[in-house]
């Protein structure tokens, strides 16, 4: 097994076919097929299930894909560490939606101005997805609410964030969760850390939310709340940046539960030049 085989395997998994992987890697399809067959024979298992012109990754393939991405990421990191390279190549970042929308634009602009040779690849999603992406090697680092709890992660706090409860303008003030027990809630998917915090806030006073509608964007959430359809939890910085901020009332969570820190996290031991450059920018006065 060598790194080229792992690169080919990852390309097939991402592209879904030998032909597409060959185009991405600038190789002939027959070479891609041969290297994949050799890898499967060496591992003693099928990494893909063949169906017509598509390849569908198997359970064994998904497990091996996570390891392959980590190995390739570590290989690139090792090359940078011993060569003394300046930041270069592609820097894959993950971030929760609100941080990407409000906090990162000026930071990414500064990073690009200082290191224009680096290609920044930013993906957004719930905190759980971002952490999984770092652990699987899809992202070099990610901005999530912290501190990191996984033993293979480390990081630094970078932004202070306040989460506020929002309701329609005619909604009475909210002082604690017991006053809105049973109310309709708008939130992201279950792996969103803000949603978990919101549910824990209810639980502390033995209150329970009513129907939870899962949304895909803060703008959609704001529109529903401003129409009087329910309540939601949203970062204050995100609310302040939105055109419809004056269409809702906002209240802090009781007991200071809405005060959190956003962390930049990475796999423990990572020392890539791209990551070091980002950390340097974040710690500048």
């Amino acid at each position: 097994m060598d790194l080229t085989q792992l690169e080919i395997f990852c390309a097939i998994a991402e592209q879904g076919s030998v032909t597409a992987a060959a185009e991405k890697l600038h190789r002939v399809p027959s070479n891609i097929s041969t290297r994949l067959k050799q890898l499967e024979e060496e591992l003693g298992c099928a990494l893909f299930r063949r169906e017509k012109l598509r390849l569908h990754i198997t359970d064994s393939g998904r497990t091996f894909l996570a390891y392959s991405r980590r190995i390739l990421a570590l290989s690139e990191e090792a090359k940078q560490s011993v060569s003394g390279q300046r930041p270069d190549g592609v820097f894959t970042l993950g971030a929760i939606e609100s941080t990407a929308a409000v906090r990162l634009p000026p930071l990414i602009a500064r990073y690009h101005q200082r290191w224009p040779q680096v290609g920044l690849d930013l993906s957004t999603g719930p905190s759980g997805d971002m952490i999984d992406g770092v652990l699987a090697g899809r992202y070099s680092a990610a901005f999530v609410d912290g501190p990191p709890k996984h033993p293979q992660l480390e990081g630094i706090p970078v932004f202070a964030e306040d989460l506020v409860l929002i309701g329609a303008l005619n909604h009475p003030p909210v002082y604690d969760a017991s006053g809105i027990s049973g109310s309709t809630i708008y939130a992201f998917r279950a792996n969103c850390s803000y949603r978990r915090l919101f549910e824990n806030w209810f639980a502390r006073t033995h209150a329970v939310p009513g129907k939870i509608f899962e949304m895909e964007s803060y703008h959609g959430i704001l529109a529903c709340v401003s129409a009087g359809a329910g309540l939601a939890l949203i970062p204050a910085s995100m609310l302040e940046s939105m055109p419809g901020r004056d269409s809702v009332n906002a209240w802090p969570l009781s007991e200071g539960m809405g005060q959190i820190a956003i962390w930049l996290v990475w796999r423990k031991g990572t020392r890539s030049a791209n990551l070091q450059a980002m950390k340097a920018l974040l710690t500048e006065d």
Side-chain angles (χ1 to χ4, degrees):
M1 185 191 310
D2 56 39
L3 294 178
T4 300
Q5 285 177 308
L6 298 185
E7 290 173 349
I8 288 173
F9 166 64
C10 289
I12 297 172
E14 292 164 1
Q15 300 299 316
S17 73
V18 167
T19 301
E23 292 178 357
K24 178 180 179 180
L25 298 176
H26 306 291
R27 291 172 174 264
V28 296
S30 59
N31 176 261
I32 297 293
S33 296
T34 298
R35 298 304 293 270
L36 174 61
K37 182 178 179 181
Q38 292 171 343
L39 180 60
E40 289 181 320
E41 289 176 349
E42 183 176 350
L43 294 172
C45 67
L47 298 174
F48 296 97
R49 184 178 65 257
R50 280 77 174 170
E51 290 183 4
K52 296 182 180 179
L53 300 178
R54 295 286 297 178
L55 294 178
H56 300 277
I57 195 164
T58 62
D59 290 342
S60 296
R62 289 191 184 89
T63 300
F64 190 66
L65 180 61
Y67 282 104
S68 297
R69 285 169 168 164
R70 285 159 57 184
I71 291 169
L72 292 172
L74 285 171
S75 173
E76 181 61 30
E77 178 191 334
K79 287 189 290 185
Q80 290 190 11
S81 296
V82 299
S83 65
Q85 289 180 345
R86 293 160 62 85
D88 203 353
V90 177
F91 185 27
T92 53
L93 278 173
I96 54 178
E97 299 280 354
S98 56
T99 298
V102 179
R103 308 285 190 178
L104 294 194
L107 177 67
I108 288 176
R110 287 168 55 207
Y111 192 100
H112 179 69
Q113 290 167 3
R114 192 165 301 184
W115 307 108
Q117 69 275 25
V118 177
L120 281 168
D121 184 354
L122 178 65
S123 298
T124 63
S127 187
D129 288 356
M130 298 300 98
I131 290 173
D132 289 344
V134 173
L135 291 171
R138 293 194 299 273
Y139 311 129
S140 301
F143 291 90
V144 299
D145 64 307
K149 298 179 178 65
H150 196 283
Q152 294 181 22
L153 295 179
E154 59 184 344
I156 55 174
V158 291
F159 306 119
E161 192 66 85
D162 287 321
L163 303 179
V164 294
L165 178 69
I166 59 172
L169 291 176
N170 61 355
H171 195 286
V174 178
Y175 301 106
D176 55 45
S178 62
I180 56 170
S181 186
S183 296
T184 297
I185 298 299
Y186 290 87
F188 287 106
R189 299 191 301 274
N191 59 350
C192 172
S193 57
Y194 292 171
R195 173 171 168 173
R196 292 196 299 271
L197 185 150
F198 201 11
E199 292 172 341
N200 290 338
W201 179 68
F202 273 95
R204 290 186 67 156
T205 57
H206 305 290
V208 292
K211 175 68 176 178
I212 299 179
F213 288 96
E214 295 185 352
M215 306 289 288
E216 294 296 326
S217 74
Y218 281 113
H219 289 87
I221 289 174
L222 182 64
C224 291
V225 172
S226 63
L231 302 164
L233 191 67
I234 185 172
S237 61
M238 184 72 194
L239 178 61
E240 291 168 4
S241 71
M242 299 174 73
R245 61 185 178 274
D246 295 329
S247 64
V248 296
N249 279 325
W251 307 278
L253 290 190
S254 58
E255 303 180 44
M257 285 189 65
Q259 298 173 352
I260 64 170
I262 302 301
W263 284 56
L264 177 66
V265 301
W266 55 88
R267 284 188 66 88
K268 191 167 290 184
T270 300
R271 296 292 182 269
S272 73
N274 291 340
L275 175 60
Q276 298 302 321
M278 177 61 75
K279 288 165 60 180
L281 279 183
L282 287 165
T283 54
E284 287 179 354
D285 293 333

